[in-house]
Amino acid sequence: MFTLISSAINNTMEVLAPTIAAEDQFVWHWKQVMNFYETSDKTSRDVPIEATNISLHLQKMCHILCDEQSPDLSDNNTTDVLLNGSSIGPSMEYLMQNKILDTMSSLAQTDTPLGLTHHILQFFTTLLTHSSHELLPHKCVYSSVQKIIVICGKLIAGPYESSEVKFLTCICDKIHENPQLINCFLSDSFPLITALLALLQSPDQVISTTSGDALLRLLDSVNERAEEIIAFETPFSCKIADQLVSLYQAIPRSLRAEQMESAINCCFKSVDTESATNFESFSPAVRKFLCFLRWFVFIDMIVNHLSTKESILRKTLLDNFKKDFLEACICPDLLGMGYESESDAADHIFLTTVLVSNCLRNTVSEYLSTTIGEFLIVDTKTDQLINNPKYNEKTNKLKNILLDRCRLIETNLANDEQNSSSITIDCKRIQLCMSSMQLFEDILVKPSVSILNELVVQYLSDRSFLDEYILTNDTNSDFSEFSNLMSSYSNSGSEEGSAVNFNYVSTSHVQRMLQYFTSLVPDELKSCVSDDDLGYENYVREAQKHFKEVGHICNKWKNWSTESIILDDSQSTADEKTNNIVINGKSEHKLNSKSENQFFEGPFMAMIFDNLEHMVQLPYEVNLQVTSLISRLALFPHQYLNEYLLDPTIPLVCNTRSLFSILHKLVDELQILVQGMNGLKDKLQITRKSLLGESDKCEAESNDTTDGKTLRIMEALIVIEEFCKELAAVAFVKYHNTF
């Protein structure tokens, strides 16, 4: 009964006292806010905002502005006015004409009463997000927004970080929707960038991640003028690089490589899966590494988001990345500088090598991967950074130092002891060897033209590995068809900018190439018994996938597969002065004249071939890494690489090594080693199952009783058998694909 009476009274009051117009309500709330500053003295303003009604008045004002612009909620009798071509309601008109936003931004800078800044940030964010009109182009709006931006990020881990990052994200979203708006914020020092950089360094991971996302959206919208201001008038590039260096230097040197690899595998799993690992569950050392990797990935994303080819900002960022991180940190650490103990230096070199590999593996941007790869392989300025007495000879190129670590056996030592049962190799050397070869393979996943030319192509460019006399005069040989086809292909050339066709040999010739590889290992030395495992077909799908990836990269290199190799000026000058190529601490003379009939495959291929020749003496894991590196190199669609690595029919000059000739020699050597061995087939099958993790307990025990020399022979045979199938699959795929 009383409820009915109360309802009737309220209805009567609404009739007698009509609802106040939204504009009047808005004005009243604003006057109530200002009344606090007009009537209170300085001491009474020190109270927290919760002790006042200011936050409530600001919320009501914001709701009125948003409701007024909504077609469903606005007063139909309200007459909107135009401001800069936009239709706005009377409350918004009042707000703009009386410069209320400007006053709010000034009040936010004082944060009086305490906590006011938080509510004003919320006011701006809500208004800009929910307004049906584009407000930022109006000067009275973006000038006030600029004042608010300046106070964001002033205090690291400040009390208003959450509100600040939401506000900045709102601004970046608006610019991303309308890139022209960025011109409103291009004042000196670009405060929007400065604020985002400050919040990026927040210890709160949510704040840091959100500000990073906002920054990436902003960089998607930058124009040339914006890039110039960010590059030259803000500390953007320096701070990004400095933070990477700081996080890198914080990684404890006690971290183990296997911890690094395990953490990456866990963290890159989907967060939706049950197997995903919580960041807090890792050890402090691993967490510090993951913080570094997270920042590295962020840099990669920045570089990738700068879409223009000649980006000034990208160049500036990569220059700082190279100078402050690669030259100042990575190069000394790869050389083991600063360690008195050889053992400590070796541990640190190994850790750094694995870390750089993981960085490359998690790089998306070709610009960043090229910067790292060329620093390690091509950049001659790197030589000046090597001041360790250990590397004070002509071998002090970083590339040659890395190559030297890929060798476990000196050639003369291997020849002296090839009949011995074993060559003792230190476990740490094996680890460093494998990680160094893995580093080269990771570089070859996304290389540049300069990297491939430096490592391989420049040594094959004159084709001095071919015996031209036999090639042109022996018409009855197996490679006569190859000679004619290659000649016609070279003469035909290719149109500039057109896709390159690598089907320059006939189907019958390819079949013979495949036959050479698939029949290299005699049936009695093969470990496979199933028809499904005998052929190379199981490797085709994987080869197809990787060849497409390689082709996508190489298609950007105009005429790379057929043109003559042109080295950069510094390299050309050096080669003119001397043709000495330093390898293994020795100087070998490379004669460029084809008439001398002398060929050198280059330090990189020499390292690979040396390891391949000593397969029987090397650990199984190292042999897998060697064959994996060769397979990666063989995928590149270059005319000379196709000839030298994948065509066993080509005539070679005397004393010239090729991939097939080394494999053929290895098989001959293994055939001699297994003579008189009882139960060879059984031993091969047991070893194969053991390597695949498929052996049962009895077979495992039987394999454990096998002596080390016999086991290495079995493993080498299996590696060669599978490697030949893989090479056949690569040759098959390269023939059947045209880019």
Side-chain angles (χ1 to χ4, degrees):
M1 177 177 178
F2 290 104
T3 305
L4 293 173
I5 294 173
S6 176
S7 177
I9 292 173
N10 288 334
N11 290 335
T12 304
M13 290 180 64
E14 288 182 6
V15 172
L16 296 175
T19 304
I20 301 173
E23 178 188 2
D24 296 333
Q25 293 184 49
F26 181 84
V27 173
W28 183 81
H29 284 296
W30 176 239
K31 286 182 178 179
Q32 293 304 306
V33 172
M34 296 308 297
N35 187 53
F36 172 82
Y37 299 96
E38 293 169 357
T39 60
S40 59
D41 55 26
K42 185 176 180 181
T43 55
S44 61
R45 294 179 190 177
D46 292 338
V47 298
I49 196 169
E50 289 79 12
T52 72
N53 290 322
I54 291 178
S55 61
L56 179 62
H57 291 306
L58 290 175
Q59 289 175 20
K60 293 291 186 181
M61 289 171 64
C62 193
H63 289 158
I64 291 169
L65 290 170
C66 294
D67 291 348
E68 186 180 73
Q69 297 174 78
S70 172
D72 298 330
L73 299 175
S74 61
D75 187 352
N76 292 330
N77 296 323
T78 301
T79 303
D80 291 350
V81 298
L82 294 177
L83 181 66
N84 293 342
S86 296
S87 175
I88 59 173
S91 300
M92 184 67 74
E93 179 188 3
Y94 181 86
L95 176 131
M96 291 185 172
Q97 288 182 349
N98 290 275
K99 298 182 178 179
I100 291 177
L101 292 179
D102 188 60
T103 303
M104 282 188 181
S105 62
S106 298
L107 291 173
Q109 292 173 332
T110 66
D111 196 26
T112 304
L114 189 65
L116 175 67
T117 302
H118 165 71
H119 292 282
I120 290 180
L121 284 165
Q122 283 189 328
F123 181 94
F124 273 80
T125 304
T126 304
L127 179 62
L128 293 173
T129 302
H130 297 288
S131 174
S132 59
H133 299 296
E134 186 65 84
L135 298 177
L136 275 178
H138 302 308
K139 184 177 180 180
C140 61
V141 177
Y142 71 72
S143 60
S144 302
V145 167
Q146 286 271 39
K147 289 182 181 179
I148 300 288
I149 290 173
V150 170
I151 67 176
C152 293
K154 283 276 188 179
L155 184 64
I156 298 296
Y160 309 134
E161 275 191 340
S162 180
S163 302
E164 289 171 358
V165 78
K166 288 178 182 177
F167 168 70
L168 295 177
T169 297
C170 168
I171 303 301
C172 293
D173 287 343
K174 291 294 180 183
I175 294 174
H176 191 262
E177 292 169 7
N178 181 8
Q180 294 299 322
L181 289 175
I182 200 170
N183 296 313
C184 300
F185 300 90
L186 296 184
S187 60
D188 292 340
S189 76
F190 207 159
L192 183 55
I193 287 289
T194 305
L196 287 169
L197 283 175
L199 290 170
L200 263 174
Q201 299 178 56
S202 169
D204 187 323
Q205 188 173 351
V206 175
I207 299 294
S208 178
T209 301
T210 306
S211 58
D213 292 339
L215 179 59
L216 291 175
R217 285 196 294 279
L218 177 64
L219 293 176
D220 269 339
S221 311
V222 294
N223 52 32
E224 187 175 338
R225 176 58 184 152
E227 282 203 20
E228 289 178 356
I229 292 176
I230 297 172
F232 303 125
E233 298 180 23
T234 76
F236 176 79
S237 297
C238 290
K239 283 202 170 186
I240 293 293
D242 288 347
Q243 180 69 0
L244 184 73
V245 170
S246 176
L247 292 171
Y248 173 76
Q249 291 175 338
I251 300 173
R253 296 317 177 217
S254 59
L255 181 68
R256 299 193 306 274
E258 57 269 24
Q259 290 178 304
M260 196 186 299
E261 300 276 3
S262 176
I264 292 174
N265 291 335
C266 291
C267 286
F268 275 76
K269 289 178 180 177
S270 171
V271 293
D272 298 328
T273 63
E274 295 181 359
S275 57
T277 306
N278 190 295
F279 180 80
E280 300 300 327
S281 66
F282 292 111
S283 67
V286 172
R287 289 204 299 269
K288 288 182 178 180
F289 162 70
L290 290 175
C291 287
F292 159 79
L293 185 63
R294 174 174 170 265
W295 193 264
F296 177 86
V297 170
F298 177 64
I299 293 177
D300 178 53
M301 294 171 72
I302 292 176
V303 175
N304 209 38
H305 272 68
L306 297 169
S307 54
T308 56
K309 188 175 181 180
E310 300 298 329
S311 169
I312 296 173
L313 182 56
R314 183 195 296 118
K315 183 181 183 305
T316 305
L317 180 58
L318 290 177
D319 286 345
N320 281 93
F321 172 83
K322 179 180 175 183
K323 175 172 66 72
D324 298 337
F325 178 60
L326 294 180
E327 293 180 358
C329 297
I330 293 301
C331 185
D333 287 351
L334 276 177
L335 299 174
M337 294 180 180
Y339 290 86
E340 294 182 3
S341 165
E342 285 288 332
S343 177
D344 290 343
D347 290 341
H348 189 56
I349 288 170
F350 172 56
L351 182 68
T352 306
T353 305
V354 175
L355 183 141
V356 175
S357 269
N358 277 295
C359 286
L360 281 168
R361 230 169 290 151
N362 289 288
T363 302
V364 174
S365 167
E366 291 181 17
Y367 293 98
L368 185 59
S369 59
T370 295
T371 299
I372 299 172
E374 291 189 353
F375 171 79
L376 297 172
I377 305 300
V378 181
D379 194 353
T380 54
K381 292 181 182 178
T382 310
D383 306 343
Q384 302 168 11
L385 304 173
I386 303 175
N387 55 11
N388 191 326
K390 182 179 177 181
Y391 306 111
N392 60 2
E393 302 175 358
K394 289 184 179 180
T395 58
N396 69 341
K397 290 181 180 294
L398 184 56
K399 176 192 72 174
N400 289 339
I401 293 170
L402 294 174
L403 284 172
D404 192 52
R405 291 173 184 166
C406 296
R407 285 187 171 82
L408 288 176
I409 301 175
E410 297 291 342
T411 304
N412 55 350
L413 178 64
N415 290 336
D416 292 341
E417 301 190 24
Q418 64 181 0
N419 294 322
S420 64
S421 59
S422 65
I423 295 178
T424 303
I425 304 173
D426 180 71
C427 181
K428 287 187 177 181
R429 281 191 62 203
I430 293 175
Q431 286 184 327
L432 184 57
C433 169
M434 291 182 62
S435 64
S436 299
M437 281 194 287
Q438 181 62 58
L439 178 59
F440 277 102
E441 184 174 349
D442 290 326
I443 291 171
L444 288 176
V445 170
K446 285 190 289 285
S448 66
V449 175
S450 299
I451 290 172
L452 279 171
N453 288 349
E454 171 71 22
L455 289 178
V456 183
V457 179
Q458 64 166 309
Y459 299 98
L460 307 179
S461 59
D462 59 3
R463 297 175 75 197
S464 56
F465 54 87
L466 291 174
D467 189 324
E468 290 194 351
Y469 178 82
I470 299 177
L471 191 66
T472 55
N473 292 283
D474 193 342
T475 57
N476 296 320
S477 64
D478 183 46
F479 42 79
S480 59
E481 178 189 3
F482 166 85
S483 174
N484 295 331
L485 287 164
M486 283 305 303
S487 177
S488 62
Y489 175 75
S490 299
N491 292 332
S492 64
S494 60
E495 295 181 8
E496 186 173 343
S498 63
V500 181
N501 186 342
F502 299 109
N503 299 345
Y504 56 79
V505 292
S506 68
T507 303
S508 60
H509 186 80
V510 171
Q511 290 298 328
R512 285 197 295 277
M513 290 164 57
L514 300 182
Q515 184 66 22
Y516 270 98
F517 283 117
T518 55
S519 62
L520 180 61
V521 179
D523 291 342
E524 61 271 18
L525 298 185
K526 289 181 178 178
S527 61
C528 293
V529 292
S530 169
D531 292 339
D532 294 336
D533 295 331
L534 285 171
Y536 61 87
E537 293 80 4
N538 292 334
Y539 287 95
V540 169
R541 179 174 294 182
E542 194 72 12
Q544 178 79 26
K545 172 189 170 185
H546 292 311
F547 188 54
K548 284 184 177 179
E549 294 170 354
V550 168
H552 177 71
I553 296 172
C554 296
N555 274 343
K556 301 173 185 177
W557 306 339
K558 190 181 296 183
N559 297 332
W560 172 72
S561 66
T562 55
E563 67 184 1
S564 298
I565 304 305
I566 301 175
L567 304 177
D568 57 49
D569 294 339
S570 61
Q571 200 168 347
S572 299
T573 304
D575 286 346
E576 287 171 6
K577 291 179 181 178
T578 176
N579 284 324
N580 287 333
I581 297 177
V582 179
I583 178 171
N584 252 4
K586 301 175 183 178
S587 180
E588 299 193 14
H589 190 64
K590 178 181 182 293
L591 298 176
N592 293 323
S593 172
K594 292 189 70 175
S595 60
E596 297 290 344
N597 225 16
Q598 193 165 339
F599 169 73
F600 176 58
E601 62 269 298
F604 180 63
M605 288 301 301
M607 175 274 294
I608 291 175
F609 284 172
D610 287 348
N611 281 332
L612 196 63
E613 284 181 334
H614 306 136
M615 179 179 284
V616 181
Q617 298 151 302
L618 294 176
Y620 169 73
E621 294 79 11
V622 174
N623 290 333
L624 283 184
Q625 188 62 64
V626 172
T627 57
S628 178
L629 187 54
I630 298 173
S631 299
R632 170 63 59 178
L633 190 60
L635 285 165
F636 286 95
H638 193 283
Q639 172 183 341
Y640 304 139
L641 281 173
N642 292 346
E643 295 173 20
Y644 188 59
L645 293 181
L646 294 177
D647 196 337
T649 73
I650 60 172
L652 300 172
V653 295
C654 185
N655 297 323
T656 293
R657 297 187 296 183
S658 72
L659 177 57
F660 185 79
S661 69
I662 293 173
L663 291 174
H664 194 287
K665 181 181 176 183
L666 266 174
V667 172
D668 288 346
E669 177 187 339
L670 288 165
Q671 278 186 299
I672 296 172
L673 290 174
V674 299
Q675 284 182 0
M677 190 177 292
N678 296 324
L680 177 60
K681 273 289 185 181
D682 292 337
K683 284 185 172 66
L684 281 169
Q685 290 173 26
I686 291 172
T687 304
R688 181 183 181 85
K689 287 182 179 180
S690 176
L691 295 175
L692 294 174
E694 299 173 353
S695 58
D696 56 31
K697 186 177 180 180
C698 293
E699 290 174 335
E701 291 176 354
S702 174
N703 204 49
D704 290 339
T705 60
T706 305
D707 66 272
K709 181 179 179 182
T710 301
L711 183 59
R712 285 197 308 276
I713 292 172
M714 298 298 105
E715 291 173 342
L717 276 170
I718 293 167
V719 171
I720 294 174
E721 179 185 355
E722 296 304 310
F723 183 44
C724 286
K725 296 176 191 176
E726 190 173 4
L727 291 173
V730 171
F732 176 84
V733 167
K734 289 179 83 170
Y735 172 74
H736 285 283
N737 280 270
T738 301
F739 289 95

